[in-house]
C-alpha cells in the first residue's frame, strides 16, 4: 500500500492512509511515516484497534521505548493495570474501576491539561508519543496540539535574539504546583529534581527551530522566578494562539503520533464518572541541551 497523508490543519497535523499499524512495516513505510512526522509533527491513523503488544511493536519501528522504570512515574509498578512498555493514561485503577476524584493519580493526571511536552522534565526528553483510544467518554476529552516551529517562526527578530541562549529548568513539581497540587512525597520531590533544557531547540532531522516550552518549565537560569514565570506564560500564550493549534476529537480506534520535539499538547476536560481508556507508548529522544 502507498502511504499518503492528508493535511488536517493549515500549518501541521496530517491523517495517514495506507498503513495498517497491526503489520510489520516495510522500510519504505517507516521512511514515509518519519518523513510525514518531520513535515506534519502530528499524524492521525484511523481505525487501528490495537492490542498493547501491537501498539508496542508499531512504536518500535521509530525508535527506542522510553524506560518506564525510571523515577518520575507516579503509579508504582504494583498499582499498574497494564504490562510493561505501555503507559496507562486512563482514569481507571488497577482493578479497572474509575478512580476517585481525590486519588493522587487523578491529581497528577489533571496536570496534563496544561500545555506540555512529554518528559521535558527528564534529562532525555521524549521523541514521539503514541496514544491510542480504546474507550472514550461521551463528550469532551479532545487532545489539543500546538506547533512550536510555527510559534518560533512567528516571533519577531528582537524576541528571537532575546531568547536565543536561555535555559529553563523543568520539573513535574512546577506543573503540579500550577494546579495547586503540592502534596508530594519526599521520594517524589527527589525524583522530580529539575532538569535544564534550552528554550530553543533544533530538530535533529529537519534542522527547524522550535520553542521548547512546557508547563513543567518553572524557572529560567539567571532570572528571578516571578520574571521567568511571567515571561514563560506570555510565550506560552503566543505559542498556543488558535492559528497554531489543532484540537483532536477522538474516535475509537484512533492512534495519534506526535513529535514532542516540535509540539506541545494538552488534554481537555471530560466527565470523570465515565471511562476514558487511552494508552501511550513513548520513544526516548536525545538530550536537547546537546542538540543546538
Ligand atoms: Fe502528555
Amino acid at each position: 500500500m502507498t502511504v499518503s497523508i492528508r493535511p488536517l490543519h493549515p500549518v501541521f497535523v496530517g491523517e495517514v492512509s495506507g498503513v495498517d499499524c497491526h503489520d510489520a512495516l516495510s522500510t519504505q513505510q517507516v521512511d514515509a511515516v518519519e518523513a510525514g512526522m518531520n513535515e506534519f509533527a502530528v499524524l492521525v491513523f484511523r481505525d487501528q484497534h490495537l492490542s498493547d503488544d501491537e501498539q508496542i511493536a508499531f512504536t518500535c519501528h521509530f525508535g527506542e521505548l522510553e524506560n518506564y522504570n525510571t523515577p518520575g512515574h507516579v503509579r508504582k509498578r504494583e498499582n499498574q493495570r497494564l504490562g510493561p512498555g505501555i503507559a496507562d493514561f486512563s482514569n481507571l485503577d488497577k482493578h479497572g474501576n474509575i478512580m476517585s476524584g481525590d486519588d493522587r493519580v487523578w491529581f497528577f493526571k489533571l496536570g496534563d491539561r496544561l500545555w506540555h511536552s512529554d518528559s521535558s522534565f527528564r534529562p532525555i526528553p521524549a521523541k514521539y508519543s503514541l496514544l491510542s483510544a480504546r474507550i472514550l467518554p461521551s463528550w469532551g476529552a479532545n487532545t489539543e496540539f500546538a506547533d512550536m516551529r510555527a510559534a518560533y517562526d512567528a516571533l519577531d527578530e528582537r524576541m528571537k535574539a532575546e531568547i536565543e541562549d536561555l535555559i529553563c529548568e523543568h520539573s513535574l513539581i512546577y506543573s503540579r504546583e500550577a494546579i495547586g497540587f503540592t502534596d508530594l512525597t519526599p521520594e517524589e520531590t527527589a525524583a522530580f529534581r529539575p532538569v535544564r533544557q534550552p528554550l530553543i531547540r533544533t530538530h535533529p532531522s529537519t534542522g527547524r527551530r522550535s520553542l521548547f516550552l512546557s508547563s513543567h518549565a518553572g524557572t529560567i537560569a539567571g532570572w528571578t522566578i516571578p520574571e521567568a514565570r511571567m515571561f514563560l506564560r506570555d510565550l506560552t500564550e503566543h505559542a498556543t494562539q488558535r492559528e497554531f493549534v489543532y484540537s483532536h476529537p477522538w474516535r475509537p480506534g484512533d492512534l495519534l503520533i506526535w513529535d514532542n520535539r516540535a509540539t506541545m499538547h494538552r488534554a481537555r476536560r471530560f466527565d470523570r464518572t465515565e471511562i476514558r481508556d487511552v494508552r501511550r507508548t513513548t520513544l526516548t529522544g536525545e538530550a536537547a541541551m546537546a542538540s543546538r
Side-chain angles (χ1 to χ4, degrees):
M1 280 190 290
T2 309
V3 178
S4 62
I5 301 174
R6 177 175 73 91
L8 293 180
H9 183 275
V11 298
F12 70 141
V13 188
E15 181 179 316
V16 179
S17 55
V19 176
D20 184 337
C21 302
H22 299 81
D23 296 340
L25 302 190
S26 66
T27 308
Q28 288 84 349
Q29 285 178 308
V30 172
D31 290 348
V33 171
E34 289 266 15
M37 287 299 292
N38 287 338
E39 181 177 355
F40 291 95
V42 181
L43 292 178
V44 177
F45 299 75
R46 301 285 190 189
D47 303 315
Q48 306 290 336
H49 297 272
L50 302 176
S51 68
D52 292 351
D53 286 344
E54 287 167 338
Q55 183 171 336
I56 291 167
F58 179 73
T59 303
C60 289
H61 285 107
F62 307 105
E64 184 185 333
L65 289 179
E66 190 171 78
N67 179 1
Y68 286 114
N69 295 321
T70 53
H73 287 286
V74 176
R75 285 195 225 208
K76 294 192 168 52
R77 185 70 242 160
E78 63 271 21
N79 292 329
Q80 290 177 12
R81 186 171 61 102
L82 309 181
I86 190 158
D88 191 355
F89 278 79
S90 75
N91 59 335
L92 301 172
D93 65 20
K94 68 173 174 181
H95 305 295
N97 300 316
I98 293 176
M99 62 181 65
S100 113
D102 55 10
D103 190 316
R104 299 181 84 255
V105 176
W106 178 248
F107 293 160
F108 273 100
K109 286 179 58 60
L110 285 170
D112 292 337
R113 295 187 190 174
L114 299 170
W115 287 107
H116 65 282
S117 175
D118 287 334
S119 298
S120 75
F121 53 86
R122 299 176 188 280
I124 309 287
K127 179 189 180 189
Y128 298 163
S129 296
L130 295 84
L131 193 67
S132 65
R134 311 296 177 92
I135 303 173
L136 295 169
S138 60
W139 61 267
N142 279 20
T143 302
E144 295 189 340
F145 297 90
D147 189 332
M148 293 300 101
R149 308 165 302 181
Y152 174 78
D153 291 345
L155 295 173
D156 62 38
E157 293 308 313
R158 193 203 60 78
M159 180 66 114
K160 284 180 182 169
E162 184 175 3
I163 66 175
E164 173 72 24
D165 295 315
L166 294 183
I167 306 290
C168 296
E169 293 196 351
H170 294 232
S171 169
L172 272 172
I173 295 170
Y174 301 135
S175 52
R176 274 48 195 172
E177 178 191 292
I179 60 164
F181 177 39
T182 55
D183 183 23
L184 302 179
T185 65
E187 294 75 30
E188 285 167 344
T189 302
F192 304 157
R193 202 169 46 247
V195 303
R196 290 157 67 90
Q197 307 286 11
L199 184 52
I200 300 174
R201 70 193 312 195
T202 302
H203 196 283
S205 301
T206 66
R208 278 192 77 178
R209 299 184 128 211
S210 62
L211 287 172
F212 192 7
L213 288 168
S214 189
S215 62
H216 307 309
T219 64
I220 299 173
W223 289 39
T224 64
I225 286 182
E227 189 111 350
R229 294 273 171 101
M230 269 321 304
F231 188 76
L232 291 170
R233 183 178 289 204
D234 282 348
L235 259 188
T236 301
E237 280 186 19
H238 158 79
T240 56
Q241 296 174 68
R242 296 319 295 182
E243 64 185 289
F244 306 137
V245 170
Y246 165 77
S247 185
H248 185 72
W250 288 89
R251 298 182 203 160
D254 280 356
L255 175 74
L256 264 62
I257 310 183
W258 62 89
D259 189 341
N260 289 291
R261 304 167 302 179
T263 58
M264 279 204 293
H265 60 281
R266 65 173 175 177
R268 300 298 274 161
R269 192 164 168 265
F270 63 99
D271 180 346
R272 58 157 206 83
T273 66
E274 296 183 21
I275 294 175
R276 181 176 191 248
D277 187 351
V278 294
R279 304 183 187 191
R280 196 182 92 193
T281 41
T282 315
L283 293 173
T284 191
E286 54 286 308
M289 289 297 287
S291 73
R292 308 179 67 203

